[in-house]
Amino acid sequence: MAGASLLTLLDDIASILDDVAVMSKVAAKKTAGVLGDDLALNAQQVTGVSAERELPVVWAVAKGSFRNKLILVPAAMLISAFIPWAVTPLLMFGGLFLCYEGFEKLHHSYSHRKGQQQHETQVENELPDIKDLAAYEAEKVKGAIRTDFVLSAEIIAITLGIVADKSLSTQFFTLSVIGIIMTIGVYGLVAAIVKMDDAGLYLSQRQGDSALTQMNRKLGLGLLSAAPLLMKSLTIIGTAAMFMVGGGILTHGLHWVAEQIHHAEQAVAAVDIVGPVLALLTPTVLNGLFGVLAGAVALAVMTGIQKLRSK
C-alpha cells in the first residue's frame, strides 16, 4: 500500500511538472513582447551610473525584481480566486502609471534641455560628491524596480490567463517558473548590455600579431563604437516602450477603443501591396499614441493636484 501510494504521488508530481512545462512554454511565447519592452526599459533605467557600479546596480534591481515576483505571484492567485474582476482595473492602473512616467520623462527632458546645455561645461568639470552619487544611484534603482513591478504584473497577468483553467498547483508553479526565467533572462541581458563597452575595451587592448588577436581587436573596437549608440537607442526605445506597453494595456481594457484600433488595422490591411505590412504596425503605433495622450492627461492631473496641495 505504501509503495502504491508513493507511485501515485510520483505520478501526480510528474503530471503537474508536465503541465507546468507545457504551460510555461506557451506563456513564454505570449509574454515575449513584454519581455522585450522590459529589457529595453530596464537597460535604459540603469544607464548613467559609473562603470564600476553598473553590475551592482543591475544586481540590486534584479533582487528588487525577484521581490516583486514574490509579491505578485501570491497576489495574482488570490485575486484570481476571490476577485477576478479586479485584474483588468489593476492592470489598467499600471498601464496608466507607465504612460505617466514616460510622459514625465519627455516633459522633464524638454523643460530642462536649455538649462542643461548652458551648464554642460560646468557639469563636466565638476565631480559630484559621494552623497550625490549614492542618491543618484538609489533613485535609478528605485525607478527601475518600480517600472519592473508594472511590467512584471503584466507578465504574471498574461500567464495567469493562460493557466486559469488549471489546478492551483499548476498555476502556482507555472507563474513561479515564468517569473524566475523572465527575471534571470532580462537582467542577464541587461548586465551584458551595460558591460559591452568594457568587453570592447578589453578586446581592443589584446596584444599579439595572430589573426585571432587582430580579429578580437577589431571586434573590441566595433563594440566600443556600438556601445554609445546602443545606449542612446535604448533610452529612446525604453521611453517609447512605456507608451506602447502602457497604451496597449489601457486600450485592451477600454473595449470601444480596442474595437476602433481593430477597425483601423483592418482598413490598413485592405490597402494594396503594403497594407498587410502596415497592418502589423498599426496597433502598436495607435497604442503608443494613446499612451502619449493618457500620459499627458495623467501628468496634467498630477500637476494640478500638486499645485492645489501646495496652496
Side-chain angles (χ1 to χ4, degrees), residues 10-259:
L10 291 175
D11 182 65
D12 290 341
I13 293 174
S15 178
I16 291 173
L17 292 177
D18 184 59
D19 287 343
V20 169
V22 173
M23 292 297 101
S24 298
K25 184 177 180 180
V26 174
K29 290 181 179 179
K30 292 286 187 180
T31 56
V34 183
L35 177 63
D37 295 331
D38 200 358
L39 172 62
L41 282 172
N42 284 289
Q44 179 259 332
Q45 288 275 30
V46 299
T47 57
V49 299
S50 57
E52 65 273 11
R53 293 296 302 164
E54 286 174 341
L55 289 182
V57 166
V58 173
W59 174 237
V61 179
K63 289 190 293 184
S65 180
F66 277 117
R67 287 194 295 269
N68 288 340
K69 305 301 191 301
L70 288 175
I71 296 171
L72 288 168
V73 170
M77 296 193 66
L78 289 173
I79 291 172
S80 177
F82 297 104
I83 47 173
W85 54 266
V87 174
T88 298
L90 289 173
L91 275 177
M92 291 182 68
F93 178 80
L96 182 61
F97 178 77
L98 278 179
C99 295
Y100 165 77
E101 279 213 325
F103 199 84
E104 187 181 36
K105 286 178 181 290
L106 292 181
H107 180 265
H108 183 271
S109 176
Y110 175 78
S111 60
H112 290 275
R113 184 175 300 169
K114 292 183 179 180
Q116 185 177 3
Q117 291 175 348
Q118 292 174 356
H119 298 286
E120 186 176 3
T121 305
Q122 296 178 4
V123 172
E124 290 178 351
N125 294 331
E126 293 177 1
L127 292 174
D129 58 32
I130 299 300
K131 293 181 179 179
D132 289 337
L133 285 174
Y136 177 75
E137 182 178 306
E139 188 62 28
K140 280 281 187 180
V141 172
K142 183 179 178 181
I145 293 175
R146 189 169 58 236
T147 301
D148 175 271
F149 187 89
V150 177
L151 291 173
S152 296
E154 187 183 10
I155 291 172
I156 294 299
I158 293 172
T159 306
L160 185 63
I162 295 171
V163 298
D165 58 339
K166 301 296 180 180
S167 64
L168 289 177
S169 57
T170 301
Q171 290 182 17
F172 175 77
F173 285 116
T174 302
L175 291 173
S176 300
V177 168
I178 287 295
I180 293 171
I181 291 175
M182 291 299 183
T183 303
I184 294 174
V186 166
Y187 291 100
L189 289 173
V190 169
I193 289 172
V194 299
K195 299 306 291 183
M196 189 173 74
D197 53 348
D198 291 340
L201 181 62
Y202 171 77
L203 291 174
S204 66
Q205 293 177 340
R206 295 291 298 273
Q207 301 296 323
D209 297 326
S210 66
L212 180 60
T213 303
Q214 292 178 3
M215 186 175 65
N216 285 335
R217 282 201 295 264
K218 291 181 180 179
L219 176 60
L221 292 173
L223 290 175
L224 285 174
S225 300
L229 296 176
L230 178 61
M231 295 315 244
K232 289 180 181 179
S233 300
L234 285 174
T235 300
I236 298 172
I237 294 172
T239 303
M242 284 185 169
F243 295 122
M244 289 186 291
V245 174
I249 295 173
L250 291 174
T251 56
H252 287 138
L254 301 171
H255 299 296
W256 181 83
V257 178
E259 289 177 359

